[in-house]
Amino acid sequence: MKVPTQSYISGKWFDSELATTFPVINPASGDIIAEVADCGAKLTSFAIEGAADAFPAWKQKTAKERGEILLKIKEVLLKNADHVAEIMTKECGKPLKESRVEVAFSASFFDWFSAEGRRAYGETIPPTGPGKAMITIRKPVGVAAFITPWNFPLGMLARKVSASLAAGCTCVIKPAEDTPLTALAFAQICHDAGVPAGVVNVVPCSRKKVVDVGDMLCSHRKVACLSFTGSTAVGKSLYAKCSSTMKRVHMELGGNAPFIVFNDADIDLAVSGLIASKYRNSGQTCITANKILVQSQIYDKFMDKLLQAVTKLKVGPGLEPDTDVAAIINDAQIERIERIVTESIEQGATLLHGGVRVSTLGPRFFQPTILTNVKPNVAAYEEEIFGPVAAICKFESEDDAIKFANDTDKGLAAYAYTNNLRLSWKLADSLEFGMVGINEPIVSTCEAPFGGIKNSGFGKEGSKHGLDEYTYLKYVAYGNQIPS
Ligand code: ADP
Protein backbone atom coordinates (compact mmCIF):
# COMPACT_ATOMS: atom_id res chain seq x y z
CA MET A 1 0.00 0.00 0.00
CA LYS A 2 1.46 3.36 -0.98
CA VAL A 3 1.09 6.38 1.33
CA PRO A 4 -1.40 8.83 -0.19
CA THR A 5 -0.70 12.55 0.14
CA GLN A 6 -3.79 14.10 -1.45
CA SER A 7 -7.17 14.83 0.10
CA TYR A 8 -9.77 12.08 -0.15
CA ILE A 9 -13.22 13.30 -1.16
CA SER A 10 -16.18 11.30 -2.49
CA GLY A 11 -13.97 8.31 -3.12
CA LYS A 12 -11.35 10.23 -5.17
CA TRP A 13 -7.97 11.82 -4.50
CA PHE A 14 -7.55 15.57 -5.02
CA ASP A 15 -4.78 18.13 -4.86
CA SER A 16 -5.57 21.25 -2.83
CA GLU A 17 -7.30 24.22 -4.51
CA LEU A 18 -4.04 25.80 -5.68
CA ALA A 19 -2.08 22.54 -5.71
CA THR A 20 -0.14 23.75 -2.67
CA THR A 21 1.38 21.33 -0.18
CA PHE A 22 2.87 21.35 3.31
CA PRO A 23 5.70 19.24 4.69
CA VAL A 24 5.29 16.41 7.19
CA ILE A 25 8.32 16.07 9.42
CA ASN A 26 9.70 13.04 11.21
CA PRO A 27 10.16 14.36 14.77
CA ALA A 28 13.01 11.92 15.45
CA SER A 29 15.22 12.94 12.52
CA GLY A 30 13.80 16.31 11.46
CA ASP A 31 13.55 14.98 7.88
CA ILE A 32 10.66 15.87 5.61
CA ILE A 33 8.92 12.57 4.94
CA ALA A 34 6.17 13.79 2.61
CA GLU A 35 4.49 16.82 1.08
CA VAL A 36 0.74 16.73 1.66
CA ALA A 37 -2.12 18.64 -0.04
CA ASP A 38 -2.77 21.87 1.87
CA CYS A 39 -6.55 22.10 1.61
CA GLY A 40 -8.57 25.23 2.26
CA ALA A 41 -12.18 26.18 2.88
CA LYS A 42 -13.29 25.53 -0.70
CA LEU A 43 -12.14 21.92 -0.74
CA THR A 44 -13.55 21.41 2.76
CA SER A 45 -16.94 22.63 1.55
CA PHE A 46 -16.66 20.25 -1.42
CA ALA A 47 -15.96 17.39 1.02
CA ILE A 48 -18.97 18.35 3.15
CA GLU A 49 -21.20 18.36 0.05
CA GLY A 50 -19.78 14.94 -0.85
CA ALA A 51 -20.57 13.60 2.61
CA ALA A 52 -24.07 15.12 2.48
CA ASP A 53 -24.73 13.49 -0.91
CA ALA A 54 -23.61 10.11 0.44
CA PHE A 55 -25.73 10.36 3.59
CA PRO A 56 -29.20 9.26 2.30
CA ALA A 57 -27.96 5.96 0.85
CA TRP A 58 -25.70 5.23 3.83
CA LYS A 59 -28.39 5.82 6.43
CA GLN A 60 -30.83 3.67 4.47
CA LYS A 61 -28.58 0.64 4.71
CA THR A 62 -29.50 -1.68 7.51
CA ALA A 63 -27.33 -1.55 10.62
CA LYS A 64 -26.15 -5.05 9.73
CA GLU A 65 -25.05 -3.95 6.25
CA ARG A 66 -23.15 -1.01 7.72
CA GLY A 67 -21.69 -3.34 10.35
CA GLU A 68 -20.36 -5.63 7.63
CA ILE A 69 -18.51 -2.70 6.05
CA LEU A 70 -17.11 -1.73 9.47
CA LEU A 71 -15.81 -5.27 9.88
CA LYS A 72 -14.19 -5.01 6.47
CA ILE A 73 -12.44 -1.78 7.58
CA LYS A 74 -11.16 -3.66 10.62
CA GLU A 75 -9.93 -6.51 8.43
CA VAL A 76 -8.08 -4.27 5.92
CA LEU A 77 -6.65 -2.18 8.75
CA LEU A 78 -5.25 -5.24 10.50
CA LYS A 79 -3.91 -6.59 7.22
CA ASN A 80 -1.95 -3.36 6.83
CA ALA A 81 -1.10 -3.03 10.53
CA ASP A 82 2.68 -2.99 10.15
CA HIS A 83 2.56 -0.46 7.35
CA VAL A 84 0.19 1.89 9.19
CA ALA A 85 2.17 1.56 12.43
CA GLU A 86 5.34 2.54 10.61
CA ILE A 87 3.72 5.61 9.05
CA MET A 88 2.43 6.60 12.48
CA THR A 89 5.81 6.26 14.14
CA LYS A 90 7.51 8.17 11.33
CA GLU A 91 5.20 11.18 11.55
CA CYS A 92 4.34 11.31 15.25
CA GLY A 93 7.47 9.79 16.74
CA LYS A 94 5.94 7.28 19.15
CA PRO A 95 7.65 3.92 19.69
CA LEU A 96 6.72 1.39 17.02
CA LYS A 97 5.46 -1.08 19.63
CA GLU A 98 2.97 1.60 20.78
CA SER A 99 1.92 2.34 17.19
CA ARG A 100 1.14 -1.35 16.74
CA VAL A 101 -1.00 -1.33 19.88
CA GLU A 102 -2.78 1.76 18.54
CA VAL A 103 -3.63 0.01 15.27
CA ALA A 104 -5.12 -2.93 17.19
CA PHE A 105 -6.95 -0.51 19.52
CA SER A 106 -8.38 1.32 16.49
CA ALA A 107 -9.48 -1.92 14.84
CA SER A 108 -11.28 -2.94 18.03
CA PHE A 109 -13.62 0.07 17.69
CA PHE A 110 -14.73 -1.03 14.24
CA ASP A 111 -15.36 -4.48 15.67
CA TRP A 112 -17.33 -3.08 18.60
CA PHE A 113 -19.47 -0.62 16.65
CA SER A 114 -20.12 -3.10 13.84
CA ALA A 115 -22.26 -4.90 16.41
CA GLU A 116 -23.33 -1.97 18.56
CA GLY A 117 -24.98 -0.24 15.57
CA ARG A 118 -27.49 -3.09 15.56
CA ARG A 119 -28.42 -2.29 19.12
CA ALA A 120 -29.38 1.37 18.66
CA TYR A 121 -32.68 0.72 20.34
CA GLY A 122 -35.57 3.08 20.86
CA GLU A 123 -38.28 2.50 23.44
CA THR A 124 -42.00 2.26 23.92
CA ILE A 125 -43.66 4.53 26.43
CA PRO A 126 -46.82 3.44 28.27
CA PRO A 127 -49.63 5.32 26.48
CA THR A 128 -51.38 8.18 28.22
CA GLY A 129 -54.85 7.37 26.91
CA PRO A 130 -56.93 4.95 24.86
CA GLY A 131 -55.97 4.57 21.21
CA LYS A 132 -52.56 6.10 21.80
CA ALA A 133 -49.07 4.72 21.25
CA MET A 134 -45.81 6.48 22.07
CA ILE A 135 -42.39 5.38 20.91
CA THR A 136 -38.89 6.71 20.41
CA ILE A 137 -36.54 5.84 17.54
CA ARG A 138 -32.89 6.70 17.02
CA LYS A 139 -31.96 8.51 13.80
CA PRO A 140 -28.49 9.43 12.48
CA VAL A 141 -27.81 13.17 12.75
CA GLY A 142 -26.26 13.56 9.28
CA VAL A 143 -22.75 14.69 8.32
CA ALA A 144 -20.26 14.53 11.18
CA ALA A 145 -17.11 16.70 11.16
CA PHE A 146 -14.02 15.47 12.98
CA ILE A 147 -10.99 17.48 14.04
CA THR A 148 -8.37 15.14 15.45
CA PRO A 149 -5.02 15.50 17.26
CA TRP A 150 -1.49 14.27 16.52
CA ASN A 151 -0.87 12.21 19.67
CA PHE A 152 -3.09 9.28 18.61
CA PRO A 153 -3.37 9.92 14.87
CA LEU A 154 -5.35 6.73 14.24
CA GLY A 155 -6.98 5.94 17.57
CA MET A 156 -8.80 9.25 17.96
CA LEU A 157 -10.02 9.14 14.40
CA ALA A 158 -11.11 5.48 14.65
CA ARG A 159 -13.19 6.12 17.78
CA LYS A 160 -15.16 8.80 15.96
CA VAL A 161 -15.45 7.22 12.51
CA SER A 162 -16.53 3.80 13.81
CA ALA A 163 -19.36 5.15 15.97
CA SER A 164 -20.58 7.68 13.41
CA LEU A 165 -20.64 5.21 10.53
CA ALA A 166 -22.41 2.60 12.65
CA ALA A 167 -25.06 5.18 13.52
CA GLY A 168 -25.65 5.91 9.82
CA CYS A 169 -23.74 9.21 9.56
CA THR A 170 -21.16 10.15 6.96
CA CYS A 171 -18.06 12.17 7.87
CA VAL A 172 -15.36 14.69 7.01
CA ILE A 173 -12.07 14.39 8.90
CA LYS A 174 -9.51 17.15 9.38
CA PRO A 175 -6.40 15.47 10.82
CA ALA A 176 -3.72 17.32 12.76
CA GLU A 177 -1.14 19.10 10.61
CA ASP A 178 1.72 17.12 12.20
CA THR A 179 0.19 13.71 11.39
CA PRO A 180 -1.94 13.75 8.22
CA LEU A 181 -0.36 10.65 6.67
CA THR A 182 -1.96 8.17 9.08
CA ALA A 183 -5.39 9.67 8.33
CA LEU A 184 -4.75 9.46 4.59
CA ALA A 185 -3.59 5.86 4.93
CA PHE A 186 -6.84 5.25 6.80
CA ALA A 187 -8.77 6.81 3.89
CA GLN A 188 -7.06 4.37 1.53
CA ILE A 189 -8.03 1.52 3.88
CA CYS A 190 -11.68 2.65 3.81
CA HIS A 191 -11.48 2.81 0.02
CA ASP A 192 -10.02 -0.70 -0.20
CA ALA A 193 -12.60 -1.97 2.30
CA GLY A 194 -15.42 -0.89 -0.02
CA VAL A 195 -16.73 2.05 2.00
CA PRO A 196 -19.08 3.83 -0.45
CA ALA A 197 -17.78 7.07 -1.98
CA GLY A 198 -18.46 10.13 0.19
CA VAL A 199 -19.05 8.21 3.44
CA VAL A 200 -15.52 8.97 4.71
CA ASN A 201 -13.64 12.07 3.53
CA VAL A 202 -10.27 13.44 4.66
CA VAL A 203 -9.07 17.04 4.16
CA PRO A 204 -5.54 17.66 5.49
CA CYS A 205 -4.26 21.20 5.93
CA SER A 206 -1.31 23.11 7.35
CA ARG A 207 -1.36 25.29 10.47
CA LYS A 208 -1.85 28.32 8.18
CA LYS A 209 -5.17 27.01 6.86
CA VAL A 210 -6.48 25.48 10.06
CA VAL A 211 -8.75 28.38 10.98
CA ASP A 212 -10.31 28.56 7.49
CA VAL A 213 -10.94 24.83 7.42
CA GLY A 214 -12.16 24.78 11.02
CA ASP A 215 -14.51 27.70 10.37
CA MET A 216 -15.99 25.94 7.36
CA LEU A 217 -16.61 22.76 9.38
CA CYS A 218 -18.17 24.75 12.23
CA SER A 219 -20.39 26.99 10.11
CA HIS A 220 -21.52 24.84 7.18
CA ARG A 221 -25.24 24.19 7.48
CA LYS A 222 -24.88 20.64 6.15
CA VAL A 223 -22.60 19.60 9.01
CA ALA A 224 -24.82 18.24 11.77
CA CYS A 225 -22.24 17.62 14.46
CA LEU A 226 -18.64 18.36 15.33
CA SER A 227 -16.52 15.99 17.36
CA PHE A 228 -13.20 17.46 18.45
CA THR A 229 -10.25 16.00 20.32
CA GLY A 230 -7.56 18.52 21.23
CA SER A 231 -6.71 21.37 23.54
CA THR A 232 -9.26 23.07 25.75
CA ALA A 233 -8.52 26.51 24.25
CA VAL A 234 -9.21 25.39 20.68
CA GLY A 235 -12.20 23.32 21.82
CA LYS A 236 -13.82 26.37 23.42
CA SER A 237 -13.39 28.44 20.29
CA LEU A 238 -14.86 25.69 18.07
CA TYR A 239 -17.77 25.23 20.49
CA ALA A 240 -18.59 28.92 20.19
CA LYS A 241 -18.32 28.81 16.40
CA CYS A 242 -20.72 25.86 16.19
CA SER A 243 -23.46 27.83 17.88
CA SER A 244 -24.34 29.76 14.71
CA THR A 245 -25.68 26.57 13.11
CA MET A 246 -26.68 24.93 16.43
CA LYS A 247 -24.58 21.85 15.77
CA ARG A 248 -24.35 18.88 18.05
CA VAL A 249 -20.92 19.16 19.65
CA HIS A 250 -18.71 16.57 21.30
CA MET A 251 -15.53 17.77 23.02
CA GLU A 252 -12.66 15.58 24.25
CA LEU A 253 -10.23 18.12 25.68
CA GLY A 254 -7.16 18.30 27.89
CA GLY A 255 -6.81 16.72 31.30
CA ASN A 256 -4.83 17.16 34.51
CA ALA A 257 -5.02 13.67 35.94
CA PRO A 258 -4.19 13.01 39.59
CA PHE A 259 -2.41 9.73 40.34
CA ILE A 260 -2.71 8.98 44.06
CA VAL A 261 -0.78 6.22 45.80
CA PHE A 262 -1.98 5.39 49.30
CA ASN A 263 -0.03 3.78 52.16
CA ASP A 264 -1.73 0.41 51.70
CA ALA A 265 -1.12 0.20 47.94
CA ASP A 266 0.86 -2.51 46.20
CA ILE A 267 3.94 -0.39 45.52
CA ASP A 268 5.27 -2.42 42.59
CA LEU A 269 1.87 -2.29 40.93
CA ALA A 270 1.66 1.46 41.49
CA VAL A 271 5.14 2.03 40.06
CA SER A 272 4.44 -0.01 36.93
CA GLY A 273 1.07 1.71 36.59
CA LEU A 274 2.72 5.11 36.80
CA ILE A 275 5.34 4.18 34.21
CA ALA A 276 2.55 3.04 31.86
CA SER A 277 0.44 6.13 32.46
CA LYS A 278 3.20 8.73 32.54
CA TYR A 279 5.73 7.63 29.94
CA ARG A 280 3.45 6.06 27.31
CA ASN A 281 3.69 8.10 24.12
CA SER A 282 6.47 10.05 25.89
CA GLY A 283 3.87 11.57 28.21
CA GLN A 284 1.88 13.05 25.34
CA THR A 285 -1.56 11.72 26.23
CA CYS A 286 -4.53 13.65 27.58
CA ILE A 287 -5.17 11.03 30.28
CA THR A 288 -1.57 10.81 31.48
CA ALA A 289 -0.81 11.17 35.22
CA ASN A 290 -0.06 14.87 35.82
CA LYS A 291 -0.37 15.41 39.58
CA ILE A 292 1.29 12.46 41.32
CA LEU A 293 0.55 12.26 45.04
CA VAL A 294 2.21 9.66 47.27
CA GLN A 295 1.28 9.08 50.91
CA SER A 296 4.01 9.69 53.47
CA GLN A 297 4.58 6.19 54.94
CA ILE A 298 5.45 4.61 51.59
CA TYR A 299 6.89 7.69 49.94
CA ASP A 300 10.60 6.78 50.24
CA LYS A 301 10.12 3.20 49.15
CA PHE A 302 7.93 4.25 46.24
CA MET A 303 10.45 6.87 45.09
CA ASP A 304 13.35 4.38 45.20
CA LYS A 305 11.46 1.93 43.02
CA LEU A 306 10.22 4.63 40.67
CA LEU A 307 13.72 6.01 40.17
CA GLN A 308 15.00 2.52 39.38
CA ALA A 309 12.22 1.97 36.84
CA VAL A 310 12.67 5.37 35.18
CA THR A 311 16.42 4.96 34.78
CA LYS A 312 15.74 1.74 32.87
CA LEU A 313 13.59 3.50 30.25
CA LYS A 314 15.37 3.60 26.92
CA VAL A 315 15.19 6.89 25.03
CA GLY A 316 15.57 6.61 21.27
CA PRO A 317 13.98 6.94 17.84
CA GLY A 318 10.53 5.36 17.70
CA LEU A 319 11.54 3.01 14.90
CA GLU A 320 14.11 1.24 17.09
CA PRO A 321 12.47 -1.82 18.64
CA ASP A 322 13.62 -1.32 22.23
CA THR A 323 12.69 2.38 22.50
CA ASP A 324 10.45 3.27 25.44
CA VAL A 325 10.51 7.08 25.28
CA ALA A 326 10.72 8.59 21.81
CA ALA A 327 10.87 12.01 20.17
CA ILE A 328 8.53 14.83 21.19
CA ILE A 329 6.19 15.85 18.39
CA ASN A 330 7.55 19.31 17.52
CA ASP A 331 9.74 22.20 18.65
CA ALA A 332 6.90 24.13 20.29
CA GLN A 333 6.01 21.13 22.42
CA ILE A 334 9.55 20.36 23.61
CA GLU A 335 10.12 24.03 24.42
CA ARG A 336 6.92 23.97 26.46
CA ILE A 337 8.09 20.92 28.43
CA GLU A 338 11.42 22.61 29.13
CA ARG A 339 9.66 25.78 30.28
CA ILE A 340 7.38 23.86 32.67
CA VAL A 341 10.35 22.00 34.18
CA THR A 342 12.40 25.19 34.58
CA GLU A 343 9.52 27.17 36.07
CA SER A 344 8.63 24.37 38.46
CA ILE A 345 12.21 24.21 39.76
CA GLU A 346 12.25 28.01 40.15
CA GLN A 347 9.00 27.66 42.10
CA GLY A 348 10.57 25.20 44.57
CA ALA A 349 10.37 21.73 42.99
CA THR A 350 13.43 19.45 43.21
CA LEU A 351 14.86 17.79 40.11
CA LEU A 352 15.47 14.13 40.98
CA HIS A 353 16.19 12.79 37.51
CA GLY A 354 16.49 14.00 33.89
CA GLY A 355 15.25 17.50 33.20
CA VAL A 356 17.11 18.12 29.94
CA ARG A 357 17.10 17.13 26.27
CA VAL A 358 19.10 14.12 25.07
CA SER A 359 20.93 16.18 22.47
CA THR A 360 23.04 13.25 21.25
CA LEU A 361 19.87 11.80 19.71
CA GLY A 362 18.61 15.04 18.12
CA PRO A 363 16.84 18.21 19.19
CA ARG A 364 13.48 16.69 20.12
CA PHE A 365 14.35 14.03 22.68
CA PHE A 366 13.69 14.75 26.35
CA GLN A 367 14.99 12.64 29.21
CA PRO A 368 12.40 10.85 31.33
CA THR A 369 12.22 13.26 34.24
CA ILE A 370 11.19 13.16 37.91
CA LEU A 371 10.38 16.30 39.89
CA THR A 372 9.70 16.00 43.62
CA ASN A 373 8.50 18.41 46.32
CA VAL A 374 6.03 19.81 43.85
CA LYS A 375 3.53 22.11 45.57
CA PRO A 376 0.08 23.32 44.49
CA ASN A 377 0.23 26.26 42.05
CA VAL A 378 3.54 25.09 40.59
CA ALA A 379 3.63 25.03 36.76
CA ALA A 380 3.92 21.22 36.59
CA TYR A 381 0.58 20.89 38.42
CA GLU A 382 -1.19 23.92 37.01
CA GLU A 383 -0.56 22.99 33.37
CA GLU A 384 -0.91 19.79 31.42
CA ILE A 385 2.81 18.88 31.04
CA PHE A 386 2.32 16.68 27.96
CA GLY A 387 5.82 15.26 28.20
CA PRO A 388 7.83 12.55 30.02
CA VAL A 389 7.93 14.42 33.33
CA ALA A 390 6.59 12.90 36.57
CA ALA A 391 5.76 15.64 39.09
CA ILE A 392 5.41 14.22 42.59
CA CYS A 393 4.46 15.40 46.06
CA LYS A 394 4.01 13.73 49.44
CA PHE A 395 0.68 13.85 51.29
CA GLU A 396 -0.55 12.84 54.74
CA SER A 397 -4.33 12.46 54.86
CA GLU A 398 -6.68 10.90 52.33
CA ASP A 399 -9.06 13.86 52.49
CA ASP A 400 -6.24 16.28 51.67
CA ALA A 401 -5.28 14.14 48.67
CA ILE A 402 -8.85 14.01 47.34
CA LYS A 403 -9.30 17.75 47.85
CA PHE A 404 -6.05 18.53 46.05
CA ALA A 405 -6.84 16.07 43.24
CA ASN A 406 -10.20 17.74 42.65
CA ASP A 407 -8.72 21.23 42.76
CA THR A 408 -8.52 21.66 38.98
CA ASP A 409 -10.85 22.94 36.30
CA LYS A 410 -10.11 19.79 34.28
CA GLY A 411 -11.99 16.54 34.79
CA LEU A 412 -10.86 13.85 32.38
CA ALA A 413 -9.21 10.95 34.22
CA ALA A 414 -7.96 10.18 37.73
CA TYR A 415 -6.05 7.20 39.13
CA ALA A 416 -5.63 5.81 42.61
CA TYR A 417 -3.76 2.86 44.11
CA THR A 418 -5.12 1.30 47.28
CA ASN A 419 -6.13 -2.10 48.58
CA ASN A 420 -8.63 -0.69 51.02
CA LEU A 421 -12.19 -1.46 49.94
CA ARG A 422 -13.74 1.46 51.82
CA LEU A 423 -11.23 3.91 50.42
CA SER A 424 -11.49 2.62 46.87
CA TRP A 425 -15.24 3.26 46.87
CA LYS A 426 -14.77 6.67 48.47
CA LEU A 427 -12.35 7.55 45.66
CA ALA A 428 -14.62 6.21 42.93
CA ASP A 429 -17.43 8.28 44.39
CA SER A 430 -15.63 11.52 45.20
CA LEU A 431 -13.03 12.07 42.48
CA GLU A 432 -14.62 14.62 40.13
CA PHE A 433 -13.48 13.18 36.82
CA GLY A 434 -15.17 11.45 33.89
CA MET A 435 -13.03 8.32 34.36
CA VAL A 436 -11.41 6.83 37.45
CA GLY A 437 -8.86 4.00 37.37
CA ILE A 438 -8.43 2.17 40.69
CA ASN A 439 -5.25 0.07 40.61
CA GLU A 440 -5.53 0.46 36.82
CA PRO A 441 -3.64 2.91 34.59
CA ILE A 442 -5.20 2.00 31.22
CA VAL A 443 -8.84 3.07 31.08
CA SER A 444 -9.46 3.47 27.37
CA THR A 445 -11.13 0.55 25.59
CA CYS A 446 -13.92 0.24 23.04
CA GLU A 447 -16.26 -1.34 25.61
CA ALA A 448 -16.18 1.62 28.04
CA PRO A 449 -17.35 5.26 27.81
CA PHE A 450 -14.36 7.57 27.43
CA GLY A 451 -14.88 11.26 28.18
CA GLY A 452 -14.43 14.07 30.64
CA ILE A 453 -16.30 16.72 32.57
CA LYS A 454 -15.67 20.42 33.32
CA ASN A 455 -13.05 21.97 31.02
CA SER A 456 -12.13 18.51 29.77
CA GLY A 457 -15.28 18.53 27.64
CA PHE A 458 -18.42 16.46 27.34
CA GLY A 459 -19.75 13.46 25.45
CA LYS A 460 -18.56 9.86 25.35
CA GLU A 461 -16.59 7.74 22.92
CA GLY A 462 -16.82 3.95 22.91
CA SER A 463 -19.38 1.72 24.69
CA LYS A 464 -23.09 1.85 23.93
CA HIS A 465 -23.03 5.57 24.82
CA GLY A 466 -20.68 6.32 21.93
CA LEU A 467 -23.59 6.09 19.49
CA ASP A 468 -25.48 8.86 21.27
CA GLU A 469 -23.22 11.54 19.82
CA TYR A 470 -24.30 10.60 16.30
CA THR A 471 -28.00 9.94 16.75
CA TYR A 472 -30.96 11.95 17.85
CA LEU A 473 -33.94 10.59 19.68
CA LYS A 474 -37.16 11.02 17.75
CA TYR A 475 -40.40 10.74 19.67
CA VAL A 476 -43.42 9.53 17.74
CA ALA A 477 -46.93 9.86 19.18
CA TYR A 478 -49.78 7.90 17.63
CA GLY A 479 -53.30 9.00 18.47
CA ASN A 480 -56.71 7.79 17.49
CA GLN A 481 -55.59 4.20 16.93
CA ILE A 482 -57.97 1.36 17.53
CA PRO A 483 -57.83 0.63 21.27
CA SER A 484 -57.28 -3.01 22.18
P1 ADP B 1 -2.30 20.63 20.28
O1 ADP B 1 -1.92 21.84 21.06
O2 ADP B 1 -2.17 19.38 21.03
O3 ADP B 1 -1.71 20.57 18.90
P2 ADP B 1 -4.72 21.64 19.23
O4 ADP B 1 -5.99 21.81 19.96
O5 ADP B 1 -3.98 22.86 18.80
O6 ADP B 1 -3.85 20.70 20.14
O7 ADP B 1 -4.94 20.74 17.94
C1 ADP B 1 -5.87 19.68 17.87
C2 ADP B 1 -6.51 19.72 16.50
O8 ADP B 1 -7.18 20.98 16.37
C3 ADP B 1 -5.54 19.64 15.33
O9 ADP B 1 -6.18 18.94 14.28
C4 ADP B 1 -5.37 21.10 14.94
O10 ADP B 1 -5.02 21.28 13.58
C5 ADP B 1 -6.78 21.61 15.18
N1 ADP B 1 -6.86 23.07 15.38
C6 ADP B 1 -6.02 23.87 16.04
N2 ADP B 1 -6.46 25.14 16.01
C7 ADP B 1 -7.61 25.15 15.30
C8 ADP B 1 -8.56 26.15 14.91
N3 ADP B 1 -8.41 27.40 15.27
N4 ADP B 1 -9.63 25.77 14.18
C9 ADP B 1 -9.80 24.48 13.84
N5 ADP B 1 -8.96 23.49 14.18
C10 ADP B 1 -7.88 23.80 14.90
Side-chain angles (χ1 to χ4, degrees):
M1 196 181 112
K2 71 177 181 56
V3 185
T5 54
Q6 293 167 295
S7 60
Y8 180 69
I9 299 173
S10 297
K12 298 198 178 70
W13 299 94
F14 292 91
D15 282 333
S16 70
E17 293 90 333
L18 300 170
T20 48
T21 61
F22 67 101
V24 181
I25 292 166
N26 178 337
S29 63
D31 295 340
I32 295 178
I33 47 178
E35 288 283 343
V36 167
D38 194 5
C39 303
K42 200 165 154 197
L43 220 61
T44 307
S45 167
F46 182 50
I48 295 167
E49 295 291 347
D53 289 347
F55 177 57
W58 183 248
K59 76 170 175 184
Q60 269 159 29
K61 284 189 184 297
T62 63
K64 184 166 187 277
E65 286 168 337
R66 287 195 296 267
E68 278 158 8
I69 295 178
L70 263 69
L71 284 179
K72 194 76 191 153
I73 297 176
K74 171 192 157 189
E75 188 189 307
V76 182
L77 181 56
L78 290 178
K79 208 171 112 202
N80 290 284
D82 287 345
H83 177 67
V84 176
E86 196 178 316
I87 295 172
M88 212 190 302
T89 288
K90 278 189 181 158
E91 68 175 355
C92 101
K94 73 173 61 180
L96 196 54
K97 57 190 173 194
E98 292 187 19
S99 295
R100 291 205 181 99
V101 170
E102 185 171 340
V103 174
F105 170 83
S106 304
S108 76
F109 278 81
F110 288 95
D111 185 55
W112 172 262
F113 280 110
S114 72
E116 202 57 29
R118 296 168 72 180
R119 293 191 273 267
Y121 301 121
E123 61 200 337
T124 56
I125 299 166
T128 54
K132 291 191 177 205
M134 294 149 75
I135 61 165
T136 62
I137 50 177
R138 289 223 160 256
K139 304 290 289 177
V141 293
V143 175
F146 300 142
I147 299 181
T148 54
W150 49 262
N151 61 343
F152 290 95
L154 187 65
M156 299 303 99
L157 176 160
R159 288 209 292 218
K160 297 179 195 307
V161 175
S162 55
S164 64
L165 262 52
C169 297
T170 57
C171 67
V172 178
I173 305 160
K174 190 216 81 63
E177 55 277 12
D178 288 310
T179 56
L181 296 172
T182 307
L184 293 172
F186 175 75
Q188 180 71 58
I189 283 163
C190 289
H191 192 88
D192 296 348
V195 174
V199 171
V200 173
N201 305 275
V202 182
V203 280
C205 74
S206 67
R207 196 78 191 172
K208 273 193 237 147
K209 300 257 180 85
V210 100
V211 174
D212 290 352
V213 170
D215 285 0
M216 179 56 73
L217 293 171
C218 292
S219 63
H220 199 295
R221 67 179 182 84
K222 290 189 184 170
V223 174
C225 76
L226 174 83
S227 176
F228 172 74
T229 300
S231 62
T232 298
V234 172
K236 284 184 178 178
S237 104
L238 299 177
Y239 189 16
K241 286 176 187 175
C242 283
S243 67
S244 66
T245 41
M246 205 53 88
K247 293 193 196 321
R248 291 276 289 268
V249 180
H250 163 237
M251 291 281 157
E252 206 271 89
L253 309 176
N256 187 352
F259 188 105
I260 318 173
V261 187
F262 290 90
N263 285 336
D264 62 84
D266 176 330
I267 297 180
D268 291 324
L269 191 72
V271 168
S272 68
L274 181 58
I275 296 285
S277 171
K278 183 69 254 182
Y279 297 100
R280 182 168 69 113
N281 202 5
S282 311
Q284 302 170 108
T285 74
C286 52
I287 54 169
T288 186
N290 207 61
K291 264 185 193 177
I292 302 154
L293 320 178
V294 183
Q295 205 162 8
S296 53
Q297 276 174 31
I298 53 146
Y299 181 84
D300 291 341
K301 204 162 170 197
F302 179 88
M303 291 309 298
D304 282 349
K305 291 192 176 209
L306 180 67
L307 184 58
Q308 272 179 40
V310 169
T311 31
K312 282 193 197 129
L313 293 174
K314 170 115 191 328
V315 186
L319 286 177
E320 284 182 9
D322 53 350
T323 290
D324 299 307
V325 174
I328 301 299
I329 186 72
N330 55 36
D331 292 339
Q333 207 56 36
I334 196 160
E335 282 160 16
R336 186 171 176 279
I337 297 166
E338 268 178 337
R339 175 187 59 75
I340 290 176
V341 170
T342 309
E343 277 181 26
S344 300
I345 294 169
E346 283 165 8
Q347 291 162 341
T350 306
L351 180 65
L352 182 68
H353 184 71
V356 288
R357 298 188 195 203
V358 189
S359 42
T360 46
L361 289 170
R364 292 192 187 154
F365 291 87
F366 202 80
Q367 275 190 355
T369 295
I370 305 176
L371 293 173
T372 57
N373 294 322
V374 184
K375 300 270 175 319
N377 307 321
V378 160
Y381 281 167
E382 287 290 286
E383 298 182 49
E384 200 181 357
I385 305 169
F386 235 64
V389 179
I392 302 173
C393 77
K394 198 191 284 187
F395 73 92
E396 296 294 339
S397 89
E398 62 186 51
D399 285 336
D400 286 350
I402 293 171
K403 192 163 167 237
F404 183 39
N406 285 337
D407 184 19
T408 166
D409 64 359
K410 302 286 172 54
L412 191 56
Y415 309 91
Y417 279 72
T418 175
N419 281 322
N420 179 322
L421 184 61
R422 173 200 59 80
L423 178 56
S424 71
W425 170 248
K426 180 174 171 178
L427 293 160
D429 191 52
S430 58
L431 287 171
E432 294 159 2
F433 295 81
M435 296 170 284
V436 177
I438 308 269
N439 298 330
E440 175 58 62
I442 306 293
V443 291
S444 182
T445 168
C446 60
E447 292 86 355
F450 187 103
I453 58 169
K454 302 195 266 184
N455 278 275
S456 294
F458 46 82
K460 297 291 178 191
E461 291 190 313
S463 80
K464 66 173 185 176
H465 303 288
L467 282 181
D468 294 352
E469 307 302 326
Y470 304 105
T471 58
Y472 67 90
L473 199 61
K474 183 183 280 188
Y475 157 52
V476 185
Y478 291 92
N480 298 299
Q481 307 297 303
I482 299 164
S484 57

